Amino acid sequence: MVGRDVASCDLVVAVTLTPVSRQHCAIWWDADMRAYRVRDEGSSNGTFLESGVACDAPDGTVVPPGSVIYLGAKSLRVLLTKVSPTTDSAR
């Protein structure tokens, strides 16, 4: 989980970035697709691909490594890089 809530998020965003919700989005590696999946968790300002497409699919939007997503209408830019082989096999 990504967001401003220290207790429930694995990746915590600074509280000063108020367009980012307490529990903003989920990001996980899909080993079968060899890509990330990103799902907005009902945030107030949305989660978007660089193209502007919303990441609101219930099973997560497929996002290839090297892609950029935005949290809260471009208030936070996140670059999703490739996963190392050791991380990939561990999931």
Side-chain angles (χ1 to χ4, degrees), residues 29-52:
W29 178 251
D30 184 328
D32 294 333
M33 296 290 294
R34 306 233 9 106
Y36 288 96
R37 288 191 179 265
V38 178
R39 181 183 59 232
D40 188 81
E41 294 293 328
S43 69
S44 299
N45 296 301
T47 304
F48 303 93
L49 300 177
E50 194 167 27
S51 64

Side-chain angles (χ1 to χ4, degrees), residues 56-75:
D56 55 5
D59 59 345
T61 301
V62 176
V63 181
S67 298
V68 171
I69 61 168
Y70 289 97
L71 280 57
K74 295 195 176 186
S75 64

Side-chain angles (χ1 to χ4, degrees), residues 10-26:
D10 301 306
L11 177 60
V12 178
V13 177
V15 174
T16 56
L17 290 174
T18 53
V20 176
S21 295
R22 291 182 63 224
Q23 295 179 338
H24 197 94
C25 70

